[in-house]
Amino acid sequence: MSVMLAGVAGWFALADRDYQYRYVETEDRYPRYEGDLGYYDSLSPGERAVVDRAMAGGTPRLESRANLPPDVIERDGDYLVFRGYSYFDWTNPRTFGPTGIGLLGFGMVVLAVRKDVRDRGVH
């Protein structure tokens, strides 16, 4: 049980959270309650690349929430609306390792329970 709990605690402490940035829609006026406003011309080259990839239908993946461009971007009189989503990167050792330890602990609990049931003769 301790191994399983260590895996769960490790997962909460170490799991690698990444972010996706997706294009939602274009509005002709500022959309209400959509988030931070940015201007396309004032974005850094890296942020512009992310916005352009999202506009082309891609889903850029970023390592940090701080790297996400604004949710609403004004460009040529139109307001481009985006959403940033977080997800866990399961291929990263920081996420995979604690998950594996937690599953190993769960397997050990199941084996211990099975052995106890067999030893007691309970069917």
Side-chain angles (χ1 to χ4, degrees):
M1 191 71 159
S2 297
V3 173
M4 183 175 69
L5 292 176
V8 170
W11 189 85
F12 279 112
L14 300 173
D16 181 38
R17 178 171 268 172
D18 290 343
Y19 297 88
Q20 295 177 343
Y21 191 69
R22 293 184 182 169
Y23 169 71
V24 177
E25 64 185 351
T26 300
E27 299 278 338
D28 57 353
R29 60 188 172 148
Y30 183 75
R32 199 167 186 189
Y33 306 113
E34 292 296 337
D36 298 335
L37 173 65
Y39 297 94
Y40 187 80
D41 295 334
S42 66
L43 296 176
S44 70
E47 289 176 323
R48 281 188 192 180
V50 169
V51 168
D52 292 339
R53 281 187 10 225
M55 288 292 298
T59 308
R61 290 167 171 37
L62 305 157
E63 289 291 323
S64 169
R65 178 178 283 289
N67 296 339
L68 288 174
D71 296 328
V72 179
I73 297 175
E74 191 275 329
R75 182 174 74 176
D76 300 328
D78 290 329
Y79 293 90
L80 311 173
V81 180
F82 298 88
R83 289 279 185 269
Y85 299 94
S86 67
Y87 69 99
F88 291 105
D89 183 3
W90 295 102
T91 60
N92 188 300
R94 287 182 51 197
T95 304
F96 181 73
T99 302
I101 291 170
L103 291 174
L104 174 68
F106 179 73
M108 291 169 70
V109 168
V110 169
L111 290 175
V113 169
R114 283 184 60 194
K115 183 179 182 327
D116 187 51
V117 168
R118 280 190 194 150
D119 290 346
R120 291 178 186 220
V122 179
H123 296 291

